[in-house]
Amino acid sequence: MTALRQRKGSKGKDPGPSVQNLKSDCTAEPRERFTTGGFSWWTIVCVMTGSVVGISLGLLCCIYVATLHENDLWFSNIKEVEREISFRTECGLYYSYYNQMLKAPSIQQGLYELIHDNTTESKRTINILQRMNIYQEVFLSILYRILPIQTYLEPIYFYIYTVFALQAVYVIALFITSWLLSDSWLAGALTGVWYILNRVDTTRVEFTISLRENWSIPFFALQVAAITCYLRPQLKPIHQRVVLWLVFISTFCFCLTWQFNQFVLLVQALIIFTLDCLDFLTAEQVVSLYLMQVLSLLLVWLLQFCNSMILGSLVLSFIVSALLIKHFQTGLKTGGFVIRVGKLALHTLLVLTLTFTINYSAKKMLQLKSDEHIFKFIKAKFGFGATRDFDASLYLCEEAFGLLPLDTFERLAGTVLLYPYLCTLSALFILLLLVALSNLSTNGSGQASSQEEERTFRIRPDVAYNLLHTVFFGLLAFSTMRMKYLWTGHMCPFAAFGVCGKEVWSLYLRVLHCNTKTMMRLIRYSVPIVILAFLYYKFWPRLMEEISELREFYDPDTVELMEWIRLKTPKRAVFAGSMQLLAGIKLCTGRVLTNHPHYEDQALRERTRQVYQIYARQSAEEVHKVLCSVGADYIVLEDSICYERRHSRGCRLRDLLDLANGHIMDGPGENEPDLIPATHPRFCEAMKSDMPPYLTLFTRVFKNKTFHVYKLKKLKKKNKAENVL
């Protein structure tokens, strides 16, 4: 329930910005008849103009990031191997499957090789379509094969242009959201401009093209736009069904393209749960939105060959618990304020208890450990888990998984985004609390005194959803910087809604006792135009200067390494090393890997920790034994890791390995009392000494300023027998 029902004795009173009052305003302003069903030529012109502006801003953003990518790398003039190296870390791994599908003799053979992959993890055959979210690469490779574009568009350009085109979809989705909230396409224009100007904080697509979030977040923005439309008051049933289909399709695409979909949907499910508890949504709306999430996840579960990580997700357990408790706990929304608050507290406790019970049982039955590293990280981040855990420490020591830096707010304030955002957030949050208290103060029959009605405010359900959306994802961004891209993008339409919408201005104008239609129109149209003019004056020269800066890709050491591997090693050779480098080796050379950056598998995480002993204090024999057990033929040692300076003491990879092994860390500083000195030197340093233990087991076959490649010597059976004895 979005607002209190109309009650006796309320005629002649000003109930605030309700749907009924807005309807009377719309009849007086032709451009707003679109929202009430009364079309006119003026409405059609406004819709057409807004559509053109929205599409133009989307295309502008697409061209902008594509230009930055080209200018930063000189992508069109570098060699193919350099282009592939530019797909850093896990980006290279994902792109390699697109390459693999294109090089396969047929689509069927390419799919078979993905389902029965034995090159991504040595000595293992895994189903890539089950393990990773790479259906987008499969779809693009098939599309490239069947479209008549091979003669004038290289495969790599088809790939990156598709990702950049999704940025246009993203901006258009944000444009639509702000337009729906404010009933003004000026809000959409302001949204698009803010998104582009805050590129540093809203996207990183130009240098991390293949990251799963760059594929999925545009679909998430489409889903938010569809939910906003679905929750609009007085939407006809036929339109509701159509919009629900849009919610389902966008949710499905979002879930299919990112492995962290379950955690994002969990936050969204909590938003829906909160709105339901506070009586902002109808039971039908709540159940429908929950079902769209569940159906999307189950369909992805089927496409990913029954991936157990989805069935064991918290969001599925939460939705099942919420629906079950809601069904059996009758009379939840009846009674006075104290009774209702007590019922809601009990309801929340029951839902959370059942959620964790179902989730724990599901993981035990499925023997699921794929996502335990995420919960280790969360517990360690908030001080509830062991900080020596290698997997948790890898995340804790990365800046992307730390708290949101304060300079983010300085940049957002510099583009005049932060100030209207905070004004809108504070005003609407207070309004939400007042409406929530009012809703909880009514009994099930909707009776209330006339004195209560005089103090009642209204807030639309679509506005309430977007308000809690920005609050919940804002808290997520504060806690983990990498998740800020889910928040900062939505900040743009939310702030633009505050500038161009009626809800916030009506609150401020009522306080100033000048809430007239003329004043409302003057402010709604003049303020965004003034802001747009200011942004153009301040930032247009900077944008022109930015896109005129020309740089060039330059990484000769990595290029030399990849060329050597491709020309001098067998095609089935197995390489061990850092996760980030190995992803590039797979893409550039097609060689077999021992480990890789897609970390959502418990066995792979354990193997990675073992392989990383090459940077720990271990004996040559122990490291050789570990590498042979995973089938490695070559190891690649990186000076940038062995002598790392990027992180402070305690967060360098060698420090994390020392702590996990119970050894004292390098360099000056304190150590925990239970740590002991290692009995062996650091392997990556000692390898360069060519001392007998290392010379006997390893042979250096390649060296440059950055990389050292060693080939493992296979022990003879006699030596193996002696070692056993």
Side-chain angles (χ1 to χ4, degrees), residues 553-573:
F553 177 88
Y554 185 76
D555 192 355
D557 290 346
T558 306
V559 171
E560 184 185 11
L561 172 67
M562 298 303 174
E563 292 286 5
W564 180 86
I565 292 174
R566 186 175 61 84
L567 297 173
K568 301 295 184 180
T569 62
K571 291 185 177 180
R572 296 295 301 177

Side-chain angles (χ1 to χ4, degrees), residues 53-64:
V53 172
I55 294 172
S56 299
L57 283 170
L59 293 175
L60 178 63
C61 180
C62 171
I63 296 170
Y64 175 52

